[in-house]
Amino acid sequence: MNVVVCIKQVPNTTQVKIDPKTNTLIREGVESVINPFDTYAIEEGVRIKEKTGGKVIVITMGPPQAEVALREAISVGCDEAILISDRKFAGSDTWATSYTLSQAIKKVNKINPVNIILCGKQASDGDTAQVGPGIATFLNIPQITYVRRIDKIENDHLVVERLVEDGYEIINTAIPCLMTVVKEINEPRLPSLKGKIKAKSAQIIHWTAAELECDPKNIGLEGSPTKVLKIFNPPIKSNGEILKGETGEIVDKLAGILKQEISGA
Amino acid sequence: MIDYLLNEEQIMLRDLARQIAEEKIRPVAAEYDEKQQFPWPIVKVMAESDLFGIWIPEQYGGLGKGVMELCICTEELSKACGGISLSLAATALGSFPILLFGSDEQKKKYLPDVAKGKKLVAFALTEPEAGSDAGSIKTSAKKDGNYYVLNGTKQWITNGGDAEIYSVVAITDKSKGARGASAFIVEKGTPGFEFGKKEDKLGIRASSTRELIFTDCKIPKENLIAKEGMGFIVAMKTFDSSRPGVAAQALGIAQGALDLAVKYSRQRKQFGHAISSFQGIQFMLADMATQIEAARALVYSAARMVDSGAKNIGTASAMSKLFASDVAMDVTVKAIQIYGGYGYMKDYPIEKYMRDAKITQIYEGTNEIQRSVIASNLIKETLK
Amino acid sequence: MGISIINEKCVGCGLCIKACPFGAITLVNKKAIIDLHKCTLCGACVSTCKFKAIILDKTTTAKKDLSGYKDVWVFCEQKDGIVQSVSWELLGKGKELAGKLNSKLGAVVLGADNIEKQTTEIEKRGADLIYLVKNPKLAHYQDEPYANILINLIEKYKPEVFLCGATTLGRSLISKVAIKLNTGLTADCTGLDIDQKDKILLQTRPAFGGNIMATIITPNHRPQMATVRHKVMKEAEVHPGNKAKIIEEKYGEEILKSRTTLVDIVKEIEETINLSEADIIVSGGRGMKEAKNFELLKELALVLGGAVGASRSAIDAGWLPYSHQVGQTGKTVCPKVYIACGISGQIQHLIGMQSSKTIIAINKDPDAPIFKVANYGIVGDLFEVVPALTKKLKQTFNK
């Protein structure tokens, strides 16, 4: 089975904090990491390769420094890495990103027939979970989201477990297909020394918009139906407020606070 | 603190070992110490990351690196737990006789599995009546046709019972004294090869220590390493190469303890201030850090010297082990002092570091033996 | 089209650098330079620049004729023939938006024959139009048939706005639909409103793990699609007298085809939630007085979907197993909400939880150190407050 894994390099959001004085994001010293959910996708791709043979090709759409993420993926077992980077992609929303990645996968498919595409459930910076299904739609292949286990791999179909709110579904899907995976699926391995050495000297393939034969209307800002109107900081929480009043009042206030916290994604 | 100008690959190795130490070892160190359990899951992780291949030549499936790289790796792992790191470090020690003196067949037979981390190794010299006085070992190996028959007991063998491969030093000819010993490879499961109970230790409790009991244990003559009579040379040369490794373990324990002590001193407030702002504590920390750095410089220098192929590495090796282990003991005791009452409680991680540090002053040649080695080499030099 | 710095106006103050959430701006020779690889053209810097030195030109191709699109639609998710409550929340918000747009509120529901009964419920919740598709093959959700039908409905009836719950089902489904229709989709919105001037949907959502908020628009494509998480919006009120027009559509085999098939459904109720991963932790200390009182905290945690923690005193007293201990010698946690009940807040405990996003403390002692780190403190009896809070939350979440 040839597997394509789509990854994204994101800022380490656990480190990102708001500067209380200026109320802006502190970005200094925040390192870039592979989107945590994607590490599970990479691990699953490598496991599929170990079970069935074939190749794992990892791709990412991003700035030149996303190469670091690709090399990390190689150090844990991916065979080839492709960086899709072009200034023309700047400003892409999930529609344009899905389009661009699907163009890349179409190109990969010409050289190595792609059987399975894996993505992490969502990216920790955007949190939209849209690109996986988006790619499947552009490629017109079946998709299964929130995969927590691959039960069976046959030549023409897979049987997988899909995590839902109150349990899981068992789904049979034709191949080729796309799956987005959740944390429950595996425990990502650490890199090996041999892997790291291989990653250091690996040749990263670089594709631009032209090489992907992208329609300019579909990429970058031009190709993005959604636009960011503005970015602002969430309201500062009052520090150390002692809630006063009758139990009923306090409880009402607390319930409101908790509801807001829970819904604040 | 000091830049040792490590090359890119050494940095890669160091960072990977550090990642394994922090993500995999540190969270479970206390539990393995408490239960005195062998850390097989960690061994698996280290194996999958190719750590067991560091010092094994490439032709046998390893990475072909040297003692320096082994020291870097051991140090990082020991910062999280000096006991768990020993499963790797002691395997290196046990494999050196084969590496340095083994025949090509022996290397081909045993080293690939070691490099993959599939089989652990142990080194067996010490006996109940022969510690520092290694020359008075009694375990015998009698030639019998195509075999050697081993009889005797080895004591306090690290990885004993869990390793599959053992390099054992036994007497083949009592009349020849120091030249009457030979080194052998013995595999676990050989009939007549049994293990004693697992020792209940003060420290490095995640490492297993057992007696090896040989009762008419027959091993093929092909398992003789080098030639008859080479036993103590094999042992001494093994120690020369492995002592920087023990030093690295001590170094890691010391550094780990210092890191915890610094962190604690910033959290702990007394008299309205963090204790890290008190000069008394600051001076202690400064001394600890300086000692560790001096030890590190010595260990790395010795390791690099060993890797360079230099002939007379005995003194450097002994000095690195002597100094680093004494530093580890001193630093860990001071670290407990900085933790104060909390440092005495098993709930807090620091007391383990002191318990682990102690053994580094004792095994692989007690520090008294190290001093003897250094002194005799020193005097020999001046006699030239 | 793009972004550029007017060098003559730039004084190198660096305000834009701080404002950029993507670290795309640096100062070189006292002039700001934008790295186009990192810039997402979000415009956060433009408004920050006091010297109007940054120009962002977002004009794109000619505006499409979007006048044919009307009405606000809500996808009513059903499971086993019952419409899920997130749909009521969407209908509530949808009604408000439809009002501002001077249009109708439509509800879309797909299912087996038994779904028809639910139309009366949907009607009571304020829908003006109900688009109903019944077929045994639609009993359980599968991506392809559901997406194909929705796409067909939308292309036929042209809603202006389309809302859907950000559930497992919703997120998988709507992404496909939006891509196929070449329109914009914003996920997990916490705020939805109509811009009075342009009459377009303003979709607000958190980003960077909640550290900043972004308002997104879909100016040139229709429908404007958004997903909203369960429990974010208020449910629509029930109006028994409300009447809706039901429009039933039927589809043939081709559209109902699916390359995935549901083999089985396995229900699992997870009792225990991993403490280190929990978003919400309800924690108890010595003030809990005895083991059985932790039941109060367990109930509260259950309503909130969180985990139960404890301070060292509680663990030492044997009231909970060690795995629940939060603190210097226990676990360090960083949840969104940490509710400390009867915990005094010794430094050894604080070290384990003080980086939690919102800390709520309930303690009888006004001088308890925990109040120094709490965002909200209640000086009171936890045995009164906690059960009352649990009851109130149960009502609010309608569990």
Side-chain angles (χ1 to χ4, degrees), chain C residues 261-274:
Chain C
T261 42
L262 181 63
V263 174
D264 200 359
I265 299 182
V266 178
K267 294 227 192 277
E268 278 176 347
I269 313 285
E270 266 228 354
E271 289 286 10
T272 52
I273 299 176
N274 189 342

Side-chain angles (χ1 to χ4, degrees), chain A residues 226-231, chain C residues 40-43 56 58 214-217:
Chain A
T226 58
K227 311 257 181 272
V228 177
L229 184 64
K230 64 173 180 189
I231 293 206
Chain C
T40 65
L41 303 166
C42 74
L56 176 59
K58 284 192 185 181
T215 299
I216 318 274
I217 53 172

Side-chain angles (χ1 to χ4, degrees), chain B residues 119-361:
Chain B
K119 294 189 177 161
L120 301 178
V121 196
F123 180 71
L125 174 62
T126 303
E127 294 178 9
E129 303 296 316
S132 294
D133 182 11
S136 62
I137 53 169
K138 291 206 173 57
T139 302
S140 59
K142 208 159 109 190
K143 186 96 185 277
D144 180 11
N146 283 333
Y147 296 94
Y148 280 94
V149 182
L150 267 59
N151 271 290
T153 316
K154 293 294 182 189
Q155 197 182 52
W156 297 328
I157 305 305
T158 306
N159 278 352
D162 292 297
E164 300 274 333
I165 304 166
Y166 295 78
S167 15
V168 181
V169 181
I171 299 288
T172 33
D173 188 340
K174 225 160 80 165
S175 65
K176 291 211 175 121
R179 292 215 189 86
S182 309
F184 298 91
I185 304 169
V186 187
E187 291 180 54
K188 180 175 168 182
T190 309
F193 179 14
E194 310 267 293
F195 300 104
K197 74 169 191 349
K198 189 161 160 179
E199 303 289 354
D200 186 7
K201 305 192 297 291
L202 168 69
I204 53 161
R205 290 166 58 82
S207 164
S208 53
T209 310
R210 288 188 178 88
E211 261 185 347
L212 310 184
I213 305 163
F214 300 102
T215 322
D216 293 331
C217 174
K218 261 163 89 167
I219 58 174
K221 66 177 192 328
E222 288 72 24
N223 284 27
L224 169 68
I225 297 177
K227 291 207 284 282
E228 276 195 30
M230 289 277 283
F232 285 122
I233 297 177
V234 171
M236 292 311 126
K237 291 287 173 201
T238 291
F239 285 141
D240 282 349
S241 290
S242 66
R243 275 172 185 158
V246 180
Q249 179 198 22
L251 194 52
I253 294 171
Q255 185 67 54
L258 174 64
D259 292 343
L260 285 175
V262 172
K263 216 166 111 182
Y264 182 81
S265 67
R266 296 180 68 194
Q267 286 169 354
R268 175 71 174 171
K269 285 206 171 81
Q270 287 288 270
F271 309 109
H273 296 280
I275 63 174
S276 59
S277 64
F278 300 148
Q279 227 175 30
I281 299 289
Q282 287 178 349
F283 285 178
M284 280 173 85
L285 292 173
D287 285 342
M288 290 154 79
T290 308
Q291 283 176 284
I292 292 174
E293 212 57 60
R296 184 170 291 123
L298 189 47
V299 173
Y300 285 3
S301 303
R304 282 176 165 144
M305 194 178 166
V306 171
D307 287 337
S308 74
K311 291 288 169 219
N312 43 345
I313 52 176
T315 308
S317 245
M319 281 181 168
S320 69
K321 195 270 194 190
L322 167 63
F323 193 72
S325 58
D326 280 351
V327 165
M329 200 58 216
D330 193 42
V331 164
T332 53
V333 168
K334 285 197 169 81
I336 293 186
Q337 193 68 15
I338 290 173
Y339 265 74
Y342 291 97
Y344 208 65
M345 305 304 156
K346 273 177 165 261
D347 276 337
Y348 287 75
I350 197 66
E351 53 82 35
K352 173 177 173 297
Y353 282 82
M354 187 190 82
R355 288 188 285 111
D356 290 344
K358 187 60 196 156
I359 193 63
T360 63
Q361 291 179 309

Side-chain angles (χ1 to χ4, degrees), chain A residues 72 187-198 200, chain B residues 8 12-13 16 19-20 23-24 48-50 54 61 63:
Chain A
E72 246 190 80
E187 171 91 38
R189 68 191 68 183
L190 286 170
S192 69
L193 278 175
K194 288 189 181 146
K196 285 189 116 170
I197 294 171
K198 179 175 168 208
K200 206 165 72 103
Chain B
E8 257 191 63
M12 218 193 308
L13 195 156
L16 180 56
Q19 191 182 359
I20 293 175
E23 286 180 23
K24 302 289 178 186
E48 283 169 356
S49 285
D50 299 326
I54 289 175
L63 287 144

